[in-house]
Amino acid sequence: MAIPPWTVELLRRGLNDVARRAREPETLEKLKTQATEIIQDLPQTAARGLDAVMRATEAGKKNVQRWSQKQVAVAIPLVNASGTLVTPLGTGVPVAEQAVEAAYACLHGDVRRDHHANQRLTRELHRHLESSTNLEIAVAANFNAILTALVIGMSQEDILIHRSQAIRLRSGDSLVDALNSLVPIVQEVGANDSIEASDFDAFDSFCLIVADDETKPDPPTPLQLDRSAVTQVVVLPVATLRRTKDAQLASVEAAIEAGADLVIVEGGGVFGGPECGIMIGKREIVDAIIESAVWKSLEATSAVQAMLVSTLGKSASGELPIDALLQTGEENLKARAERLAMRLSASDAVKSCQVTAEDARITPKGRWRYPSRQVRVEHRTLTAKDWAAQLREELPSLIVREDEQAIIVDLKWVSPASDGKIGELIGGSQSASPNETTSEIP
């Protein structure tokens, strides 16, 4: 449809009017003023935009915090300042970062699944044990699982344990109860005071289990028996792969060289690996055990085995976190304890604070003792028991010893990087009542 002539004329007049006004000085001044106001308003507009972004970021941060709090409901970080490495809550000592990365690769899901993990473990074992030519290794999900695998795999023989070897395990069970948990066929022989050769006269051939009684001054060795048809198994709840400078610590290497046919060892603790049960011994014995029908249900996952492969390599070079803690000298511990004591003394809630020098331990009753330093701290209002309980519920969880008046913070099994966390946890809890806990990450 054509535009009417009167409309064209109206548009022409409007455009002429706009052009005329644009040339007027007053119009130009108004445009300049409005432009200046717009430019001046830009920072405020940008600030309002930035505020909106920050509010969105803060909301995102809170979402991340809520997510992380859900995760720590399962995995709570632990700082072990109790002076005892093996505690019911854990050791507080991490495995090497490379071992964690190896586990992550397996758990990520985009890796090939095969049955060669045991071969890789064996190759790594042969690299680090000189006497490993005829040795094999197998890994179970935990220490009790490897004991069950041993009993089932050796069930065709009489399995004996001397009554003097019925040690208490980390789980609280006796070794005999753990061995007989699934198939009660392990027999106790002899008296509980000492081992005599005559204790085994009723048996021609058998599998003999010898355990490390941690209260004894020396690691266990296989018995010297005048018979060839005996398989000797040495159980080492606390041990390293190879000999260390510390003669108190048992090792798989020493037990094998002393004549053990099979060694059972716990993967965590001083061994430096993930929580698992490990058997190392003669190939024909290990093969017979892992060929049993129940082995697949007891075997460790590929992630745990990958972590152990990395651990075997690290333990040979002394690069595990536990190795560094074992070798920490007294002067180092003394200096750290004095700095921590100085920091805690500045707190208004601390009644007294002093550095002490007692031995740290691997287990509560074991022979393993190491020079250490502690900070003994007394609270003005809280009892030592309430204060220690409160610190256990912090994040990260801090475990300490306590006596009747004070908590005792031992630094032997604490990495230097955690000293600051300890100071913040103890210093930040002085104003809380015994029943209060904090959920903030220090």
Side-chain angles (χ1 to χ4, degrees):
M1 184 178 68
I3 299 176
W6 61 267
T7 303
V8 174
E9 183 62 23
L10 185 61
L11 290 172
R12 184 181 294 113
R13 290 178 182 178
L15 290 172
N16 290 334
D17 187 61
V18 170
R20 179 180 57 78
R21 290 186 179 183
R23 289 193 296 269
E24 293 178 354
E26 292 180 0
T27 303
L28 292 174
E29 190 64 27
K30 287 180 180 180
L31 288 173
K32 290 179 182 179
T33 302
Q34 291 176 355
T36 302
E37 290 175 353
I38 291 172
I39 292 173
Q40 290 176 347
D41 189 56
L42 280 176
Q44 297 177 3
T45 304
R48 287 194 294 270
L50 182 60
D51 288 340
V53 172
M54 292 301 294
R55 286 194 297 271
T57 302
E58 185 66 22
K61 177 183 176 184
K62 290 180 180 178
N63 288 335
V64 171
Q65 287 178 337
R66 283 195 295 269
W67 177 87
S68 64
Q69 288 170 359
K70 290 180 181 179
Q71 308 314 307
V72 299
V74 176
I76 300 174
L78 174 67
V79 178
N80 181 6
S82 67
T84 301
L85 177 65
V86 179
T87 74
L89 294 178
T91 66
V93 181
V95 297
E97 289 185 6
Q98 288 187 0
V100 176
E101 292 173 358
Y104 173 78
C106 292
L107 293 171
H108 198 261
D110 57 351
V111 296
R112 190 185 76 176
R113 295 184 180 275
D114 56 31
H115 304 286
H116 303 303
N118 191 261
Q119 296 176 14
R120 290 191 287 270
L121 276 168
T122 301
R123 285 197 299 269
E124 197 66 32
L125 178 70
H126 291 175
R127 286 180 55 197
H128 302 296
L129 285 186
E130 294 180 0
S131 59
S132 64
T133 306
N134 190 41
L135 295 184
E136 186 67 79
I137 183 172
V139 188
N142 53 58
F143 195 62
N144 280 32
I146 205 72
L147 295 176
T148 299
L150 169 68
V151 171
I152 294 176
M154 303 295 291
S155 59
Q156 70 279 6
E157 298 186 36
D158 288 317
I159 305 177
L160 310 180
I161 182 169
H162 199 274
R163 287 188 172 87
S164 64
Q165 304 289 296
I167 62 172
R168 185 178 297 277
L169 301 177
R170 178 177 172 181
S171 62
D173 299 328
S174 75
L175 177 58
V176 176
D177 290 340
L179 289 166
N180 283 331
S181 61
L182 189 59
V183 184
I185 62 175
V186 178
Q187 306 175 59
E188 292 185 75
V189 298
N192 58 10
D193 53 356
S194 61
I195 300 176
E196 297 182 6
S198 59
D199 296 331
F200 308 99
D201 287 346
F203 304 90
D204 295 326
S205 65
F206 52 90
C207 172
L208 175 63
I209 299 174
V210 179
D212 187 0
D213 183 349
E214 61 184 39
T215 63
K216 300 290 179 62
D218 299 311
T221 57
L223 301 181
Q224 301 299 319
L225 299 175
D226 295 330
R227 58 188 77 186
S228 58
V230 177
T231 301
Q232 296 209 49
V233 180
V234 176
V235 177
L236 304 175
V238 175
T240 59
L241 175 64
R242 301 183 63 178
R243 286 188 179 90
T244 64
K245 296 179 181 179
D246 183 359
Q248 300 180 85
L249 285 174
S251 70
V252 175
E253 182 179 39
I256 293 292
E257 291 181 359
D261 299 300
L262 189 69
V263 180
I264 303 292
V265 64
E266 191 160 1
V270 299
F271 201 85
E275 292 297 325
C276 61
I278 306 167
M279 67 168 65
I280 299 174
K282 293 180 178 179
R283 181 173 289 110
E284 59 271 18
I285 298 175
V286 174
D287 287 346
I289 292 173
I290 64 178
E291 287 172 2
S292 66
V294 300
W295 173 248
K296 287 300 180 184
S297 63
L298 301 173
E299 188 178 15
T301 63
S302 58
V304 170
Q305 295 190 51
M307 292 178 74
L308 193 57
V309 170
S310 177
T311 301
L312 292 180
K314 288 291 183 181
S315 64
S317 56
E319 297 179 12
L320 295 173
I322 190 64
D323 294 322
L325 297 178
L326 284 169
Q327 296 165 12
T328 302
E330 286 188 74
E331 289 302 316
N332 180 300
L333 294 170
K334 179 181 177 183
R336 289 167 54 195
E338 289 174 348
R339 287 195 297 269
L340 180 59
M342 185 179 300
R343 175 175 180 173
L344 296 179
S345 297
S347 172
D348 294 335
V350 172
K351 181 179 179 181
S352 66
C353 185
Q354 64 185 99
V355 176
T356 58
E358 301 175 12
D359 288 341
R361 304 181 177 188
I362 291 181
T363 60
K365 299 180 181 179
R367 62 180 176 273
W368 310 282
R369 305 289 182 91
Y370 301 88
S372 185
R373 290 293 186 276
Q374 305 79 33
V375 181
R376 186 180 182 276
V377 192
E378 187 173 353
H379 202 281
R380 290 189 182 278
T381 58
L382 296 178
T383 65
K385 182 178 180 181
D386 287 338
W387 200 6
Q390 177 178 302
L391 292 170
R392 283 195 299 271
E393 299 305 318
E394 292 282 359
L395 187 62
S397 178
L398 174 64
I399 54 176
V400 297
R401 296 202 315 272
E402 76 259 9
D403 56 23
E404 293 181 358
Q405 289 83 29
I407 62 171
I408 302 167
V409 182
D410 194 302
L411 298 179
K412 180 63 179 179
W413 309 120
V414 177
S415 69
S418 296
D419 289 358
K421 292 180 182 179
I422 293 176
E424 292 176 14
L425 288 171
I426 295 178
S429 61
Q430 70 265 21
S431 61
S433 65
N435 296 324
E436 292 177 342
T437 58
T438 176
S439 61
E440 294 295 327
I441 299 177

